[in-house]
Structures are given as C-alpha cells and as structure tokens.
C-alpha cells in the first residue's frame, strides 16, 4: 500500500529468529540510502544454521520489508545437484570432509607435492648446471 511503513530491523530480526530457532547467526543487509521514488526491493538476510560444513548451513533469505514475509529462501537441499557436488568437492580438496583424518591426508599430499617440486628443481639443476665431465 502507498502509506505503508517498513518494519523496523528489530521486528524483522524477531521474525527471522522465530523462523530459525536453532540459528547460529543472522545478518541483515541494510540497503544504502534509497530515494523516496526508488522501487521497493526485498530485504536480504543471511542465516547460518548448524551444519557439517559452513556452506551447507548458509540460508539466504529475501524478505518483504513491509510485512516481514519470506519471499525466497534457499536451503542446501534446494540447490542444484551440481552446486551441492561442488561444495562437497571443495571440502574434499581442503581436507575438511573427513575431519582430522582428512586433514592429515591433505597435509601428506601437500608435503608430497612439495617433494616433487624439490626433486624437479634438483634434477633440472643437475642437468643444466651440473658438471660437464661425462
């Protein structure tokens, strides 16, 4: 409606807290100064829920700034299979996927790659700058 007032951030925060009782954090994206005649845009809110990995607990919301109604919500299960696989591969790559054992394996792989770099430089040095007595 024309004379409707936007909800205060405290009321929006209270509504999001009621919707997500087990949340870890809530972040409200406060829009920069908007002109009075600017079109009304949704209010963006980020909610972090407890999850195995941080990106799996991230829930972006779009709220109606006048009623506080959730217009759009994207949970991990709602994302495409490709994006979910990419998130899982990211945690495999960093070693976080399997806890402490995964980090140990990732660390050993890092040490192995450093060893390969060292042996590559050592062999090339011997080849190009080694003794000329053959």
């Amino acid at each position: 409606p024309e004379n409707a007032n936007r909800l205060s951030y405290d009321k929006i925060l209270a509504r999001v807290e009621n919707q997500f009782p087990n949340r870890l954090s809530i972040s409200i994206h406060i829009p920069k100064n908007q002109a009075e005649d600017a079109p009304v845009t949704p209010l963006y809110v980020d909610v972090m829920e407890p999850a195995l990995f941080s990106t799996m607990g991230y829930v972006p919301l779009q709220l109606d700034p006048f009623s506080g109604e959730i217009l759009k919500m994207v949970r991990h299960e709602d994302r495409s299979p490709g994006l979910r696989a990419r998130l899982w591969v990211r945690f495999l790559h960093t070693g976080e996927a399997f806890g402490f054992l995964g980090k140990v394996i990732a660390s050993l792989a890092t040490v192995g790659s450093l060893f390969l770099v060292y042996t590559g430089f050592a062999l090339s040095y011997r080849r190009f700058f080694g003794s000329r007595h053959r």
Side-chain angles (χ1 to χ4, degrees):
E2 285 223 5
N3 295 331
N5 292 326
R6 293 177 186 258
L7 289 175
S8 69
Y9 292 120
D10 291 333
K11 288 183 181 179
I12 289 175
L13 183 62
R15 288 187 184 204
V16 174
E17 286 175 344
N18 289 336
Q19 187 77 18
F20 298 90
N22 296 328
R23 84 258 171 223
L24 296 175
S25 68
I26 298 173
S27 300
I28 299 175
H29 298 266
I30 298 174
K32 294 184 180 180
N33 296 335
Q34 292 182 342
E36 290 293 325
D37 57 347
V40 176
T41 58
L43 186 62
Y44 295 95
V45 178
D46 296 333
V47 177
M48 290 299 295
E49 293 184 314
L52 182 60
F53 304 120
S54 60
T55 54
M56 291 180 181
Y58 170 70
V59 182
L61 305 173
Q62 290 182 12
L63 300 175
D64 182 345
F66 298 100
S67 67
E69 176 187 350
I70 295 176
L71 302 174
K72 185 176 180 183
M73 172 173 51
V74 182
R75 292 188 180 272
H76 181 72
E77 303 83 37
D78 301 332
R79 296 179 179 151
S80 70
L83 182 57
R84 286 186 292 187
R86 190 182 72 134
L87 291 173
W88 181 252
V89 167
R90 180 233 186 238
F91 290 105
L92 280 174
H93 175 75
T94 59
E96 295 176 68
F98 297 109
F100 180 73
L101 181 62
K103 290 180 182 182
V104 169
I105 292 171
S107 299
L108 291 174
T110 302
V111 170
S113 66
L114 292 174
F115 183 72
L116 288 174
V117 169
Y118 167 75
T119 56
F121 279 130
L123 289 172
S124 64
Y125 182 81
R126 280 185 58 196
R127 180 174 181 189
F128 294 115
F129 302 111
S131 64
R132 301 281 183 206
H133 306 289
R134 289 189 193 190

